[in-house]
Amino acid sequence: MIEKFTECNHNAPGYRTSEALVFFVRRSVRHGDDREIELLFDTFKTRCLRAVAGKAKGFSEEDRLDILSAVLEKVTQHLFADGKAADYAESRFGDYIQRRVLTAITDFKRDQQKDALLDDFAEDSEEFAEAVRAKKGQARLSPEDLMLMHDALASLPSHLREAYILRHYAGWRVGDERKPEGAETEMTLMEYYDIGRRAMHKRLAKAQELLDQYCRKDPA
């Protein structure tokens, strides 16, 4: 049975569909057959990699592997949970895996943009100066003001600093607002951190509280 699933050419006489592969993966999971799960998953990963390669042609090999890892993590969660997502994968695997790949690619690009944004927040960068001016609503800021704001942000714990910058400088929505037109596919802070509305607002409020405390301190 394992050998039959290694054939990836749709037109080959011995080809077995990915839907059938998902069926046997789920069956082995239900039976707790670790040996069969391992063998089937090796073949399953190969088919997932083909789907990633088809949609991620502009990415490096390392990036494609990162995207594949994200796809496999989500797919594994679905198949082992044995819920509606697993049912969908078994009945329409082609549509299912394409959605998973596109979601992983979107998240990967968003993470790259986020990392680039955080890297731009050096004290002497023009990007940082423009972001602070825009938030404060001031056309000009003294070097001392910029230094104070940079130091204040740097004083925050990393998870609070990231959330604050993404919300107030990158313009990410919290996730409980009414979605503006065209923003259906944009990731929100609640989705990114996988936490609820109250927890997200509490995190942002804590960051603001610590910033206010820092800025009130006597520089001397």
Side-chain angles (χ1 to χ4, degrees):
M1 180 184 71
I2 301 296
E3 290 179 357
K4 290 179 179 179
F5 282 114
T6 60
E7 177 59 67
C8 293
N9 183 355
H10 290 230
N11 299 318
Y15 176 75
R16 296 295 183 270
T17 67
S18 296
E19 287 81 3
L21 178 55
V22 172
F23 167 81
F24 283 107
V25 169
R26 297 178 72 188
R27 189 187 71 168
S28 64
V29 170
R30 287 194 293 269
H31 291 171
D33 190 334
D34 293 338
R35 172 66 173 164
E36 188 172 295
I37 292 173
E38 181 180 355
L39 292 172
L40 286 169
F41 246 84
D42 284 342
T43 304
F44 187 71
K45 286 189 289 187
T46 299
R47 295 202 179 190
C48 290
L49 181 58
R50 287 168 61 87
V52 171
K55 291 292 184 181
K57 294 180 179 179
F59 293 89
S60 68
E61 181 65 22
E62 182 179 356
D63 290 346
R64 281 198 297 270
L65 289 176
D66 286 342
I67 293 169
L68 173 64
S69 177
V71 170
L72 289 177
E73 180 180 0
K74 184 61 67 174
V75 170
T76 301
Q77 291 174 0
H78 287 168
L79 296 188
F80 277 80
D82 202 28
K84 291 182 179 179
D87 292 340
Y88 184 52
E90 186 177 324
S91 62
R92 298 184 64 183
F93 181 79
D95 290 342
Y96 169 83
I97 194 63
Q98 291 302 318
R99 290 188 182 189
R100 294 271 63 82
V101 172
L102 290 175
T103 298
I105 289 174
T106 299
D107 292 348
F108 181 82
K109 289 181 177 179
R110 193 68 184 262
D111 283 343
Q112 283 188 318
Q113 294 172 353
K114 179 210 72 178
D115 291 341
L117 170 73
L118 296 176
D119 289 343
D120 282 342
F121 267 63
E123 177 187 332
D124 57 351
S125 71
E126 184 57 30
E127 291 85 356
F128 176 72
E130 288 182 3
V132 175
R133 283 195 294 265
K135 185 174 189 308
K136 287 181 171 292
Q138 297 177 229
R140 297 173 63 90
L141 285 172
S142 69
E144 290 77 13
D145 287 334
L146 291 174
M147 183 183 298
L148 176 62
M149 194 62 205
H150 182 272
D151 290 347
L153 286 169
S155 73
L156 293 176
S158 58
H159 68 292
L160 295 182
R161 177 176 182 267
E162 179 183 83
Y164 189 87
I165 290 175
L166 291 176
R167 175 69 185 100
H168 294 290
Y169 295 117
W172 285 31
R173 292 180 299 107
V174 172
D176 56 353
E177 313 94 332
R178 181 188 297 273
K179 287 187 177 181
E181 187 175 350
E184 290 79 6
T185 61
E186 291 184 4
M187 181 177 289
T188 65
L189 291 173
M190 287 168 55
E191 292 170 337
Y192 179 74
Y193 290 108
D194 193 24
I195 59 178
R197 179 185 63 83
R198 290 187 62 185
M200 193 67 248
H201 281 288
K202 185 176 180 180
R203 183 172 297 188
L204 293 170
K206 183 62 176 179
Q208 186 65 63
E209 177 187 351
L210 292 176
L211 286 174
D212 292 342
Q213 289 177 0
Y214 187 95
C215 293
R216 282 197 300 268
K217 290 194 306 182
D218 185 349

